[in-house]
Amino acid sequence: MKNYTNELEKLFTLIESYSKTSIKLYKYTTVYKSANILSSLSVKFVLALLFLFFFFFLNIGIAIYLGEYLHKIYYGFFIVAGFYILIALLFLVFKDALIKTPVCNFIISATLNTDHNDSHEIE
């Protein structure tokens, strides 16, 4: 009878150890995936910001050029502003297809990514 008790104690110890290890693994996997998502979004944010600066100055140049062509500088700015209000209205109408769905898909695919070729993945 003592042999069974000893074996049961070993089994419970192994189960407890396995449970703790599994919880740590899930925790580390969650932290890794969260960090991966945040770092990807950070890179996209910086690139978008640089792209925004580029377009800002490009649009000022276009507005001045159009203004000089029309002999009133502010006409060029009104034309560029009108162009952007049209684009804003299009984004408002198609926001789910253009922004919400791709961002959701990115987050879901990054969360559920099981690529084993990634050298940083926890094994």
Side-chain angles (χ1 to χ4, degrees):
M1 187 72 168
K2 185 176 179 182
N3 191 19
Y4 288 122
T5 306
N6 191 17
E7 292 297 319
L8 278 175
E9 286 177 5
K10 286 181 184 179
L11 179 63
F12 283 125
T13 304
L14 287 173
I15 290 173
E16 181 182 9
S17 175
Y18 176 77
S19 300
K20 288 179 181 178
T21 304
S22 295
I23 290 170
K24 281 183 181 180
L25 178 63
Y26 289 128
K27 179 178 139 184
Y28 293 146
T29 302
T30 302
V31 168
Y32 169 75
K33 288 184 178 184
S34 299
N36 192 18
I37 290 170
L38 289 175
S39 65
S40 295
L41 288 175
S42 298
V43 168
K44 290 177 192 265
F45 176 74
V46 168
L47 288 174
L49 188 63
L50 291 172
F51 199 63
L52 181 72
F53 280 124
F54 167 75
F55 266 125
F56 177 72
F57 288 110
L58 179 68
N59 285 307
I60 289 175
I62 290 171
I64 290 172
Y65 176 77
L66 287 173
E68 285 181 358
Y69 181 76
L70 298 172
H71 304 294
K72 300 279 186 184
I73 294 291
Y74 57 88
Y75 285 170
F77 283 95
F78 286 148
I79 291 170
V80 171
F83 173 73
Y84 278 105
I85 196 69
L86 288 174
I87 289 177
L89 291 173
L90 286 173
F91 267 109
L92 186 62
V93 171
F94 298 110
K95 68 181 180 258
D96 286 342
L98 294 174
I99 299 170
K100 185 178 179 184
T101 302
V103 169
C104 285
N105 288 340
F106 168 75
I107 292 172
I108 290 169
S109 68
T111 303
L112 299 178
N113 186 9
T114 57
D115 185 15
H116 296 290
N117 294 329
D118 194 353
S119 62
H120 299 293
E121 187 163 343
I122 304 203
E123 297 179 15

